[in-house]
Amino acid sequence: MPERTDWIDAAAEHLDNAVTRFLDAGGAPGAVAVTGDAVETRSLARGVVAPGFAEVTPTADTRYDIASLTKTMTWLLAGFSVADGDLELDKPVSTYLGPSTHPASGLTVRQMLGHTTGLRSATRFDEYLASGVPLVEHILREELETQPGQRMRYINRGFILLGLVLERVTGQNLDVLAAERIWRPWQMHSTSYGPLPADEHVAPTERRLIGTRPTWGVVHDESAALMGGVAGHAGVFSTAADMVRFARGILGARQEDSPLGRYVHDSFRVYASQDGTRRGLGWIVVPESGTAYHHGFTGTSLYLSPDSDRFMVVLTNAVFVSRDRRRLKALRADALVAMSTVDQGVSGKG
């Protein structure tokens, strides 16, 4: 095992080269990335926040729409509720939402966290506009696409439902809950749900209609937007500096001999697999390298190495350029290599 500084330097160089290739290929206007552990970090910032709108170099304090990285925060909020005894992983949601015979009423929190609910994969909430029925009721009534626990399928609906369950269990709105349980205690003062001011400190995401301004300071995800910008699957804006605090908080919690520590520890075990992808609770896991990670559609990623207390944060607004995933997939693959195999002598030159 190399010294801490040796690993951070080698991994940071590898990641720097990967980000440079990504930006040179037109994958995003800019990027901020951090490699680190419990003590040290190495940061990089490249490109601009958004050409034509915010032509400044991004910094560790630039706010990005982190998209589905919001799910990792909902995962942690669920962990707090489990630790408090307010939520149990294997009880049906009807325990918390009231008796029901609807198709989804028997789903468990574990299935939501592991993406094995069988809920609808197409998240279309516009069909429920002005229905007079609460969203949670609509989700519970929908026919399942597969039997719960039968098939792993990454979807938003499970975490949307989980967010609604957490609100019911705690009696708090999700944004208030996240601020009280995570953001304020962990000093994540630049992390919040939107809307935010559209300025050079906030990275725009996508120009959905040619000739209009991009989505900027408001959530990119359409379903989260219909929910008022606050949802369990998307909607959070954060910075690289705050995501470092988040990563360190998770890794620190895992070391605790406590209900929360056991929840975090167990979340990185393989719970379900499909087509070569293995998931724990809330995370994709790679047992061979001891790595866990999650991505956000806008172009964000968080990688953890729980056993060695190492992490990587990569924030971009790739969707500002395109929804094409090919260049982003290459960057993410390179980051995973830097995270998991630099120890085995992978060159920092990538």
Side-chain angles (χ1 to χ4, degrees), residues 87-111:
L87 205 62
E88 292 188 25
L89 293 176
D90 296 308
K91 281 192 173 181
V93 294
S94 59
T95 305
Y96 311 106
L97 299 177
S100 170
T101 58
H102 296 319
S105 62
L107 298 178
T108 67
V109 173
R110 189 184 302 275
Q111 290 165 345

Side-chain angles (χ1 to χ4, degrees), residues 71-84 86-89 109 113 159 162 166 177 182 260 263:
K71 292 184 177 77
T72 64
M73 297 181 182
T74 304
W75 157 81
L76 186 58
L77 291 176
F80 282 120
S81 286
V82 169
D84 292 344
D86 295 329
L87 205 62
E88 292 188 25
L89 293 176
V109 173
L113 290 167
F159 272 77
L162 179 57
L166 286 169
L177 186 63
I182 305 173
L260 179 63
Y263 170 86

Side-chain angles (χ1 to χ4, degrees), residues 183-245:
W183 302 334
R184 282 202 290 270
W186 290 4
Q187 306 297 303
M188 297 171 64
H189 299 309
S190 295
T191 301
S192 69
Y193 284 94
L196 302 176
D199 60 28
E200 65 183 20
H201 304 295
V202 178
T205 52
E206 185 177 20
R207 183 182 291 172
R208 299 178 190 272
L209 298 173
I210 301 301
T212 66
R213 63 185 275 133
T215 303
W216 194 357
V218 294
V219 62
H220 175 266
D221 181 89
E222 293 91 343
S223 297
L226 285 172
M227 295 174 66
V230 178
H233 72 299
V236 171
F237 290 77
S238 191
T239 67
D242 273 8
M243 291 304 292
V244 167
R245 297 181 183 100

Side-chain angles (χ1 to χ4, degrees), residues 2 44 71 118 123 160 171 195 197 226 246 248 253 270-271 281 349:
L44 67 92
K71 292 184 177 77
T123 309
I160 291 169
L226 285 172
F246 183 60
R248 283 174 166 164
V270 176
Y271 165 69
L281 300 182
K349 301 197 179 298

